[in-house]
Amino acid sequence: MSFNIRRIITVAIIIIVCFLLQCTLFQSLEIASISPNLMLIVTSSFGFMRGRKEGMIIGFFCGLISDIFFGDIIGFYALLYMLMGLINGAFKKMFYPDDIKLPMTLIGVSDLILNIFIYFFLFLFRSRFHFIYYFLNIMLPELVYTMVVTLVLYFIILKINNHLEEIAKRSASKFV
């Protein structure tokens, strides 16, 4: 099996598993009706690990699956997650796998930006001006919960990405 197909299948499995976990297990583990955003963790992680292009592609598919199952408008979350993949991909040159500070910061800021966009486009345009309530009761708890889950999920994604990189290096060395 070629390396690109293996990477695509692996990333698709990660997206599907994280989506299923977000919709099933973490829905039953909600704290004050808040669950972590696993799709954002996947998008951001692959963004700063692999770059803008892959971050955007993975973000698009993470958002599209969210749109299909939960969105009112197809493409809204796909566009937002694609934007998060692009932003995180810009930090690829600053990314060091051993340093957890950058991934935690980027995922936290991405969660905050994503929720601000969601508030702006889905609530503010419908004349719901309770930003402080939304910030304190939705945004901050989701941010904290997402950050806690990031501590575990990030290292799993990192290990998978490193394994895929090793396979790519081995297959490239066969042709040299």
Side-chain angles (χ1 to χ4, degrees):
M1 183 186 303
S2 99
F3 171 70
N4 286 335
I5 293 172
R6 183 177 290 154
R7 178 174 280 286
I8 290 169
I9 290 171
T10 304
V11 171
I13 290 171
I14 290 171
I15 291 171
I16 291 168
V17 166
C18 286
F19 179 74
L20 291 174
L21 284 173
Q22 184 170 329
C23 296
T24 56
L25 178 66
F26 285 105
Q27 288 295 324
S28 62
L29 297 175
E30 285 183 340
I31 299 173
S33 298
I34 301 297
S35 60
N37 194 339
L38 301 183
M39 304 308 281
L40 182 67
I41 296 171
V42 170
T43 299
S44 297
S45 296
F46 278 107
F48 52 75
M49 284 181 203
R50 304 285 305 153
R52 289 180 180 158
K53 182 178 176 185
E54 197 159 329
M56 286 177 60
I57 292 169
I58 291 170
F60 174 78
F61 285 108
C62 286
L64 187 63
I65 198 169
S66 297
D67 279 331
I68 290 170
F69 286 96
F70 302 115
D72 296 330
I73 305 165
I74 297 292
F76 176 72
Y77 288 107
L79 182 64
L80 286 180
Y81 281 89
M82 199 165 72
L83 179 65
M84 293 302 114
L86 174 72
I87 291 169
N88 284 289
F91 292 92
K92 182 178 188 253
K93 291 187 181 353
M94 295 174 59
F95 172 70
Y96 294 102
D98 300 334
D99 187 21
I100 187 70
K101 293 183 295 274
L102 179 69
M104 292 293 287
T105 303
L106 289 176
I107 291 171
V109 170
S110 295
D111 190 60
L112 201 57
I113 291 170
L114 182 76
N115 280 318
I116 288 171
F117 275 121
I118 289 170
Y119 170 78
F120 186 75
F121 288 112
L122 296 182
F123 295 102
L124 189 64
F125 281 163
R126 289 195 243 158
S127 299
R128 295 183 180 156
F129 301 112
H130 306 291
F131 179 76
I132 301 298
Y133 175 83
Y134 185 77
F135 183 77
L136 294 175
N137 294 309
I138 306 290
M139 294 168 112
L140 282 181
E142 181 184 310
L143 174 70
V144 171
Y145 203 179
T146 300
M147 298 306 287
V148 169
V149 172
T150 297
L151 289 171
V152 175
L153 186 58
Y154 165 73
F155 288 109
I156 294 170
I157 293 172
L158 179 65
K159 193 172 265 309
I160 292 169
N161 186 58
N162 289 342
H163 180 68
L164 290 172
E165 292 292 322
E166 288 175 19
I167 292 171
K169 288 177 184 174
R170 278 185 285 186
S171 66
S173 68
K174 289 180 185 177
F175 295 110
V176 176

